[in-house]
Amino acid sequence: MVLKRIPFLLSVFLLALPVFGQQQSASKPKPRVILVGVNGMELDIIRPLLLKGQMPNLSSVIERGAYGKLRTVSAPNCPRVYSTLFTSTNPEEHGVTGFLVGGITANTNMLKEEPVWSMLSKSGVTVGMANVPATFPVMPVNGYMISGMLTRGKNCEDGVLCAPKLSEVMGGEAVYPKSMQAELLKNVGDFYIDCERMPAAADLKGHETEVIDKWLSKVQLIREQQTKLFEYLLTTHPTEFTFLAQSCEDRTGHWLYPITPFNVGYNASINGVRMDAFPDQYVAFDKVLGSILKHVDENTYLIIFSDHGIKPLREFEEKDPHAHMDHEKTTPVIAKHDFADGDDVPGSFFAVGPGIKHDLRLMGLGASVYDVAPTLLHIYGIEQPKQMRGRVLTEIFESPDTKVAVKQ
Ligand SMILES: [Zn+2]
């Protein structure tokens, strides 16, 4: 499955791309935004951790900003939702409808609508992105891009839910500009681009505790590498718009969600071993957030979101023999998010920054993944293009009219 198609759409998107950092250098500084995606962050798991004081950094963001649920799309999964968030269009419109599209792993050549980073780049905003799902092969931006989940490589030929190292990437570029790859290998190391593949049922049988512990330590290694990468990029390559993402939380939840014996798919030898494994991912994420917060001053917007939540299997999965396996049909899965009704597994949204209301709770499902791109454009004073289906989340701003040419 080599990618043959020339990404002609990308060149169309980026025709007006300014030379890196030059065009706007004389104008006044643009807003700075750090956007952090946490794959499948589940508020049911987060809330007890906040109460116990185990996520002090996220707590501080909540106190100083706006937060709530984020409505997602139907049957949500990572490429489907992220591409909706990138473009503020329906999956059928942007073309990345799932992990596989027409039998081929979702990739950026399939994207039929213009992503927000392309619009920002064209407007002269410097853009930096790392580990964002569904950004492989990388696209040219006014800055840099390092791909994330769905990157193909050695022992990860289809790129689905597996972890190639930077040096092992195949079938496309994982770093833009290409010259940055050697620099990253030298200064950050040969990091894993995505989270670890979940173990197969056959590998677990009889060695459950050992396999679980080994898997969790690999996940922690990957997180440490990602933290080092983020720290390096934020320090040595600061950009006006920076988009970073984490994927290990969701991966852990699928098979180590802390379920009880009455839940569908419960297996004591797996699910009774490390009940804290999934909550611990968020405690670990909070530390990553702490290192990102060091780069957030009073003039920086920080937006954290998840593309969807994740919940234990439901009564209607009990009779489905495939429900307990991931799409490769090898891993025992006890929690998922691709429920037909996306409202069963809303994502979450946290925003803090200049002019953003403090301690504001967003009620209901009024904010959606479609609204993130229009809100980003609003912050930069860029008019929302007509194909975008979302809206600016004006309710989070103290004075929503100050920055943008709002479209009537
Ligand atoms: Zn998932």
Side-chain angles (χ1 to χ4, degrees):
M1 285 201 289
V2 177
L3 301 171
K4 289 199 195 81
R5 264 186 61 201
I6 303 292
F8 72 96
L9 277 167
L10 311 187
S11 50
V12 175
F13 292 155
L14 289 157
L15 271 179
L17 185 68
V19 177
F20 190 178
Q22 283 182 6
Q23 193 186 52
Q24 304 281 333
S25 56
S27 57
K28 74 178 173 82
K30 293 185 182 61
R32 189 157 170 265
V33 179
I34 300 179
L35 180 65
V36 182
V38 186
N39 197 2
M41 183 150 68
E42 173 52 56
L43 288 168
D44 286 354
I45 303 290
I46 298 269
R47 288 199 169 102
L49 299 171
L50 292 170
L51 286 171
K52 287 193 269 183
Q54 291 183 307
M55 298 189 75
N57 294 308
L58 190 65
S59 287
S60 81
V61 169
I62 289 172
E63 274 166 35
R64 293 180 291 129
Y67 97 104
K69 294 186 282 291
L70 192 66
R71 188 173 212 177
T72 189
V73 300
S74 63
N77 64 43
C78 199
R80 184 175 166 87
V81 187
Y82 268 84
S83 300
T84 299
L85 184 133
F86 300 157
T87 62
S88 190
T89 61
N90 290 332
E92 291 68 28
E93 291 166 333
H94 60 64
V96 182
T97 49
F99 281 99
L100 297 175
V101 181
I104 298 170
T105 304
N107 63 74
T108 49
N109 295 319
M110 294 170 174
L111 205 53
K112 291 187 287 193
E113 296 287 351
E114 184 171 8
V116 67
W117 61 75
S118 166
M119 296 174 193
L120 293 172
S121 291
K122 278 184 194 169
S123 297
V125 176
T126 54
V127 169
M129 296 172 55
N131 289 154
V132 179
T135 57
F136 179 78
V138 286
M139 300 164 74
V141 285
N142 183 23
Y144 66 85
M145 186 186 294
I146 299 152
S147 65
M149 187 174 162
L150 297 178
T151 298
R152 298 170 177 203
K154 191 180 156 205
N155 301 319
C156 186
E157 282 78 7
D158 63 359
V160 178
L161 306 179
C162 37
K165 286 180 178 175
L166 180 57
S167 68
E168 297 173 344
V169 171
M170 301 186 307
E173 296 296 337
V175 179
Y176 175 89
K178 204 175 172 177
S179 57
M180 196 180 183
Q181 177 146 341
E183 178 199 330
L184 293 172
L185 286 167
K186 179 169 174 268
N187 296 316
V188 183
D190 196 8
F191 57 86
Y192 288 100
I193 284 194
D194 185 16
C195 198
E196 178 70 344
R197 186 195 296 271
M198 293 183 279
D203 296 334
L204 276 160
K205 201 159 180 54
H207 313 277
E208 288 86 352
T209 305
E210 186 192 333
V211 173
I212 290 169
D213 286 346
K214 198 169 155 222
W215 191 86
L216 288 171
S217 42
K218 176 85 177 277
V219 162
Q220 187 51 30
L221 169 72
I222 292 171
R223 184 177 281 106
E224 282 160 17
Q225 292 181 344
Q226 287 181 340
T227 309
K228 188 177 175 192
L229 173 67
F230 296 169
E231 182 63 29
Y232 178 77
L233 295 169
L234 288 167
T235 305
T236 59
H237 295 277
T239 49
E240 288 151 344
F241 173 68
T242 311
F243 189 176
L244 309 170
Q246 296 265 291
S247 58
C248 284
E249 296 79 5
D250 177 77
R251 202 73 50 87
T252 308
H254 276 291
W255 70 292
L256 295 173
Y257 199 107
I259 58 170
T260 49
F262 63 78
N263 279 105
V264 177
Y266 185 83
N267 174 344
S269 60
I270 298 173
N271 308 116
V273 176
R274 296 282 178 261
M275 296 291 283
D276 285 335
F278 186 39
D280 282 350
Q281 298 303 307
Y282 296 116
V283 175
F285 163 69
D286 197 74
K287 295 194 171 75
V288 180
L289 180 58
S291 73
I292 293 171
L293 278 169
K294 291 191 187 118
H295 299 270
V296 176
D297 62 18
E298 56 187 20
N299 296 314
T300 305
Y301 294 88
L302 173 68
I303 299 173
I304 304 160
F305 74 92
S306 65
D307 50 340
H308 50 69
I310 181 167
K311 306 277 188 192
L313 299 177
R314 307 285 171 80
E315 69 286 357
F316 44 81
E317 266 92 25
E318 201 159 20
K319 297 181 194 73
D320 177 355
H322 298 301
H324 310 198
M325 298 287 173
D326 76 351
H327 59 274
E328 301 266 321
K329 312 291 180 238
T330 56
T331 305
V333 158
I334 42 92
K336 67 174 211 173
H337 43 75
D338 54 347
F339 296 105
D341 184 356
D343 288 353
D344 279 346
V345 276
S348 47
F349 178 87
F350 307 80
V352 66
I356 289 188
K357 288 178 186 165
H358 287 221
D359 204 16
L360 172 73
R361 210 180 125 205
L362 299 165
M363 301 291 184
L365 289 165
S368 103
V369 291
Y370 288 90
D371 304 332
V372 176
T375 303
L376 291 170
L377 293 178
H378 171 88
I379 290 171
Y380 287 100
I382 300 167
E383 193 174 342
Q384 176 178 342
K386 61 180 186 311
Q387 77 274 12
M388 285 194 166
R389 291 180 174 273
R391 65 181 179 88
V392 177
L393 293 170
T394 50
E395 64 271 39
I396 68 171
F397 296 97
E398 300 282 2
S399 42
D401 303 327
T402 49
K403 285 196 181 58
V404 79
V406 179
K407 220 171 117 217
Q408 299 300 323

